[in-house]
Amino acid sequence: MATSVFHQPPGTAQPHQHFQNSGFRHEFGHASVKLTFKGFKVETGLSRRGGYSSCKRKFGVIQASASHTSVVQPVSYPPNNSTDELRKKSSEAALILIRHGESLWNEKNLFTGCVDVPLTKKGVEEAIEAGKRISNIPVDMIYTSALIRAQMTAMLAMTQHRRKKVPIILHNESEQAREWSQIFSEDTKKQSIPVVTAWQLNERMYGELQGLNKQETADRFGKEKVHEWRRSYDIPPPNGESLEMCAERAVAYFKDHIEPQLLSGKNVMIAAHGNSLRSIIMYLDKLTSQEVINLELSTGIPMLYIFKGGKFIRRGSPAGPTEAGVYAYTRSLALYRQKLDDMLH
Amino acid sequence: MAAGALHRSIRTIQLHGGSNDSASTKEFGNSSLKFISKGFAVDVKFLSNRSRSFSHCKMHVIRAISSHASVVDPIWSTSHVTTNFNQNTSIESSLILIRHGESMWNEKNLFTGSVDVPLTKRGIEEAIEAGERISSIPVNMIYTSALIRAQMTAMLAMTQHRQKKIPIIMHDESIQAKEWSQIFSEETIQQSIPVITAWQLNERMYGKLQGLNKEETVVKYGKEKVHEWRRSFDSPPPNGESLEMCSQRAVAYFKENIEPQLQNGRNIMVAAHGNSLRSIIMYLEKLTSLEVTNLELSTGVPLLYIYKHGEFLKRGSPVGPTEYGVYAYTRNLALYRQKLDEMVQ
């Protein structure tokens, strides 16, 4: 078997040894506990962000499992700043972008924008297919827009994921919503993938074109105007957003909320829309406004980026499970896949 | 011909507003226009309650349609329509209740409550099956809880519906959300089924049991206590709701928001959870607290009620498309189904 196992008695701190095997951190979050015993895994993710403030307890867990599971040989060390910096440099995180599939208005050829229209049967299938393609890529957090077609795409895709962690949608709309959605088991939290919904990832708002079909719009506004709104970078339809305006709020959200997660080594999936994802890709790939206008994202086909050393490395689309291909985009991802294979057989 | 009758009918609506009751309103909401022309149905809806201030728009719509819809043959003359206004005759509407299918925590046997956990593959299939069963029953409005498993169940079920109208989720969490989700085509609005999400339809909040598995809970609190919380009417788990508390907010919501729609002849689908639906059924069927604690709702199997003369008539579960059975629960439903059949040929 490929993985090396550290046989250290529990409680021993081995900070320097850990860094040589930074690849694993990527499945297991911050804690540098690595358990590669065949068929058994203890998940320790220390999340400094977000709602799960259970760091101290997680160490308790590690020690507890060490004492009664002789199969597990944990390597642990107390977290401190210097290790964080070193970790940052060698850490790597996966970023998956998925554009939702066919919606009921796509099928009718109506301008949708921010109207909350659900998926068609075909859109449902596309989401499931997308899920199969990413079933071996680690996901620690999910971000979606506030629209059901993106949320459903994410949830449908995750039913195919091999890791079997459970996405949990976070609710922040009121004090009661927060209280009512609390989870009271640490084990369960560890097996959860937080899902954050954000309007900033919504599709570009199409103003007075929302709900119109192409004929109606051409009749009402004239063919050229419509073409301009659809294809320019900075000309918005009446009461709507230009691609530029959409990019502003989508990329700002990405930088403020998502990039820090990637920096801390979390693997993130974003399920959103054509224009909000193009905007983000414009930022990731440093495209010009001319280039982004010509960028078309396939629906339901996930795109993978590796975030490493502060840079986004484009890795195209993960192959479906039945397709031959160089699966492993990075060594860490190859090891992750292998662990899944071991776990499930 | 048809247009003339339409014009007269329109004036009738303007004079008498929406609050009326005749057999014809069943599919078409408040207005007393019924067009059963073969292959073409004009849907005229006044959404008199709450968030949709579409009523003004709809007036314009009717005029617009009358000017160019020569295919419509109103079966009822306007005189017939007006005489019916003051008779509280056979207004009838259907109410469909669907409990969502398997969620990822059901699969793991964890207490879920109001934690927002999505469906499993099986839950998805159950939703689609449920949709097949109700594919010939009219739906004008949909109510769901604030949790994704109920919303997905509704949206997946509706992908199977034969009428081809499109569910649109209403957003009023903020002014921007309201503005951004506006639709600017009257025709499109008419082909829409508003979907309202309400936390009051959420699953019973399980307090400190949320996320725990059954063993953990019994170990922590003792078998009897847990049994009591799960099966009693008025005993809440720590920081949670009793079934009684859940009923209170669910039934109040139903009476204030859903029942008036039924009274106006609108056909409603409610996609929610075991306890919120039991609470509603307790109200519909006037069950005692003892009877309701023994009531188990199958997952993913829709329940049909006919609302008539202010009463709820239980009609069991609509048969699946391949099953034998007396399909038509009422004459109106039979006519509706017939129209669907004709539309499709």
Side-chain angles (χ1 to χ4, degrees):
Chain A
M1 202 180 65
T3 52
S4 56
V5 180
F6 283 98
H7 291 279
Q8 301 285 347
T12 314
Q14 303 285 337
H16 46 275
Q17 275 182 308
H18 171 78
F19 301 121
Q20 293 162 9
N21 296 279
S22 56
F24 284 103
R25 215 176 289 114
H26 143 129
E27 155 65 5
F28 296 115
H30 295 181
S32 300
V33 174
K34 187 171 52 185
L35 307 159
T36 51
F37 193 85
K38 199 165 184 153
F40 184 83
K41 264 208 278 241
V42 168
E43 175 81 22
T44 56
L46 286 172
S47 349
R48 269 172 298 174
R49 295 191 173 279
Y52 301 97
S53 54
S54 47
C55 307
K56 297 200 186 101
R57 268 179 273 180
K58 293 246 159 85
F59 274 107
V61 170
I62 298 161
Q63 285 155 13
S65 3
S67 57
H68 60 240
T69 45
S70 51
V71 289
V72 163
Q73 311 285 339
V75 174
S76 61
Y77 65 90
N80 57 50
N81 289 333
S82 57
T83 58
D84 291 346
E85 280 164 38
L86 281 167
R87 194 181 315 133
K88 249 187 233 182
K89 286 194 194 144
S90 52
S91 79
E92 186 186 288
L95 171 66
I96 300 169
L97 307 179
I98 302 187
R99 179 185 184 188
H100 69 79
E102 189 185 65
S103 81
L104 287 166
W105 277 12
N106 290 151
E107 200 184 34
K108 288 192 159 195
N109 242 321
L110 302 176
F111 288 117
T112 312
C114 282
V115 182
D116 203 349
V117 180
L119 299 171
T120 58
K121 290 183 209 175
K122 184 173 168 218
V124 169
E125 281 160 31
E126 288 181 87
I128 292 178
E129 277 282 328
K132 290 181 186 162
R133 285 176 174 252
I134 55 153
S135 59
N136 293 297
I137 301 180
V139 177
D140 297 317
M141 283 194 78
I142 299 173
Y143 286 85
T144 78
S145 71
L147 305 173
I148 193 94
R149 56 198 189 265
Q151 295 171 6
M152 276 179 76
T153 294
M155 299 300 103
L156 290 164
M158 291 307 289
T159 59
Q160 308 297 316
H161 204 275
R162 295 173 76 197
R163 183 63 181 77
K164 297 298 171 198
K165 278 195 186 179
V166 180
I168 304 286
I169 296 186
L170 301 183
H171 281 267
N172 264 320
E173 53 272 22
S174 67
E175 198 49 54
Q176 178 182 282
R178 255 188 296 266
E179 279 176 24
W180 278 34
S181 54
Q182 276 189 302
I183 301 173
F184 285 86
S185 157
E186 293 310 326
D187 264 351
T188 303
K189 279 188 205 174
K190 283 186 287 185
Q191 293 300 312
S192 304
I193 299 172
V195 181
V196 179
T197 61
W199 68 264
Q200 293 89 331
L201 296 174
N202 276 12
E203 182 48 299
R204 174 176 157 205
M205 208 275 278
Y206 246 63
E208 289 182 15
L209 268 50
Q210 292 186 163
L212 272 57
N213 65 37
K214 298 197 177 101
Q215 195 50 55
E216 274 177 297
T217 336
D219 291 343
R220 210 182 275 195
F221 298 104
K223 223 169 174 180
E224 272 153 37
K225 257 278 159 237
V226 176
H227 182 84
E228 198 178 72
W229 293 328
R230 295 186 74 195
R231 296 287 167 249
S232 73
Y233 184 63
D234 55 2
I235 304 177
N239 285 349
E241 287 185 305
S242 61
L243 178 51
E244 182 179 32
M245 291 157 76
C246 171
E248 223 170 81
R249 42 105 169 154
V251 174
Y253 186 86
F254 181 87
K255 287 181 181 175
D256 294 340
H257 295 87
I258 303 180
E259 203 163 343
Q261 300 290 349
L262 294 163
L263 273 165
S264 64
K266 288 235 168 52
N267 304 292
V268 178
M269 172 166 109
I270 304 179
H273 309 261
N275 285 300
S276 47
L277 289 175
R278 273 157 94 190
S279 308
I280 290 172
I281 290 175
M282 183 180 178
Y283 169 69
L284 303 180
D285 289 353
K286 299 183 176 28
L287 303 176
T288 63
S289 53
Q290 187 60 34
E291 289 171 318
V292 79
I293 301 174
N294 293 323
L295 178 69
E296 280 303 325
L297 286 184
S298 303
T299 56
I301 303 209
M303 291 194 58
L304 178 64
Y305 285 80
I306 303 295
F307 180 72
K308 188 166 177 153
K311 293 203 165 107
F312 291 96
I313 308 163
R314 191 179 203 185
R315 283 281 174 264
S317 180
T322 49
E323 293 169 38
V326 178
Y327 167 73
Y329 298 91
T330 68
R331 189 170 158 272
S332 304
L333 286 176
L335 288 168
Y336 181 78
R337 178 170 186 159
Q338 191 155 10
K339 269 183 279 161
L340 282 174
D341 289 339
D342 294 342
M343 238 170 78
L344 299 171
H345 294 123
Chain B
M1 176 220 50
L6 261 165
H7 277 295
R8 273 176 273 132
S9 309
I10 291 163
R11 285 186 52 241
T12 313
I13 294 169
Q14 292 167 353
L15 294 172
H16 295 273
S19 53
N20 289 290
D21 8 53
S22 55
S24 55
T25 61
K26 205 198 82 69
E27 156 65 6
F28 300 114
N30 287 357
S31 77
S32 303
L33 287 180
K34 186 150 91 168
F35 302 104
I36 311 186
S37 153
K38 201 161 184 157
F40 186 84
V42 169
D43 196 19
V44 179
K45 279 195 289 230
F46 286 95
L47 295 168
S48 49
N49 286 352
R50 343 211 74 239
S51 41
R52 303 299 101 219
S53 52
F54 283 159
S55 18
H56 294 295
C57 305
K58 293 252 158 85
M59 297 284 209
H60 300 300
V61 172
I62 299 161
R63 286 187 219 118
I65 289 181
S66 67
S67 53
H68 59 241
S70 52
V71 286
V72 170
D73 297 312
I75 288 184
W76 270 266
S77 69
T78 44
S79 54
H80 178 259
V81 164
T82 44
T83 52
N84 276 347
F85 276 167
N86 296 320
Q87 294 169 25
N88 213 334
T89 43
S90 44
I91 235 209
E92 187 188 288
S93 40
S94 41
L95 171 65
I96 301 170
L97 306 181
I98 302 186
R99 179 184 183 187
H100 69 79
E102 190 186 65
S103 82
M104 291 189 184
W105 277 10
N106 291 152
E107 197 185 34
K108 290 187 164 200
N109 242 322
L110 302 176
F111 288 116
T112 312
S114 284
V115 182
D116 204 350
V117 180
L119 299 171
T120 57
K121 288 181 206 174
R122 181 159 164 232
I124 292 167
E125 282 160 27
E126 290 182 83
I128 292 179
E129 281 248 357
E132 284 166 8
R133 284 176 174 250
I134 55 153
S135 59
S136 299
I137 300 180
V139 177
N140 298 126
M141 285 190 78
I142 299 174
Y143 287 84
T144 78
S145 73
L147 305 173
I148 193 93
R149 55 199 189 264
Q151 296 171 9
M152 277 178 75
T153 294
M155 298 300 101
L156 290 165
M158 291 305 290
T159 60
Q160 308 298 314
H161 205 277
R162 294 171 73 193
Q163 75 176 330
K164 300 307 172 195
K165 279 200 189 171
I166 294 175
I168 306 284
I169 297 186
M170 303 283 113
H171 282 269
D172 53 14
E173 54 271 23
S174 68
I175 296 187
Q176 178 182 282
K178 257 190 287 261
E179 280 177 20
W180 278 34
S181 53
Q182 276 189 299
I183 302 172
F184 285 84
S185 156
E186 295 308 333
E187 204 180 310
T188 303
I189 292 175
Q190 286 182 329
Q191 292 301 310
S192 304
I193 299 171
V195 180
I196 297 181
T197 61
W199 68 263
Q200 294 89 329
L201 296 173
N202 276 13
E203 180 52 296
R204 174 176 155 206
M205 207 276 276
Y206 248 63
K208 290 195 178 168
L209 269 48
Q210 293 186 162
L212 272 56
N213 66 37
K214 298 194 178 107
E215 287 88 59
E216 274 178 297
T217 333
V218 163
V219 163
K220 210 167 177 179
Y221 296 102
K223 213 172 181 178
E224 274 153 35
K225 259 283 161 230
V226 176
H227 182 85
E228 195 184 295
W229 293 327
R230 295 186 74 194
R231 297 286 166 249
S232 73
F233 186 63
D234 55 5
S235 191
N239 287 359
E241 286 185 307
S242 61
L243 179 50
E244 183 177 31
M245 291 157 75
C246 171
S247 305
Q248 230 166 54
R249 40 104 169 157
V251 175
Y253 186 86
F254 181 87
K255 285 181 180 172
E256 283 162 25
N257 297 280
I258 302 180
E259 204 163 345
Q261 300 289 353
L262 291 163
Q263 272 157 1
N264 284 330
R266 244 172 235 118
N267 303 291
I268 307 282
M269 173 166 106
V270 178
H273 308 261
N275 286 300
S276 47
L277 288 175
R278 273 157 95 192
S279 310
I280 291 171
I281 290 175
M282 184 180 179
Y283 168 69
L284 302 181
E285 297 186 24
K286 302 183 179 24
L287 301 177
T288 64
S289 54
L290 192 63
E291 289 172 317
V292 80
T293 51
N294 291 323
L295 179 68
E296 281 302 324
L297 287 186
S298 303
T299 57
V301 179
L303 282 180
L304 177 64
Y305 288 80
I306 303 296
Y307 181 76
K308 190 164 176 158
H309 299 315
E311 284 188 5
F312 291 96
L313 309 165
K314 188 176 195 181
R315 283 286 175 265
S317 179
V319 298
T322 50
E323 291 168 43
Y324 263 113
V326 179
Y327 167 72
Y329 298 93
T330 69
R331 189 170 158 275
N332 287 329
L333 286 177
L335 287 169
Y336 181 78
R337 179 168 184 158
Q338 192 163 359
K339 268 182 280 157
L340 284 174
D341 291 339
E342 288 160 2
M343 250 169 67
V344 174
Q345 324 310 0

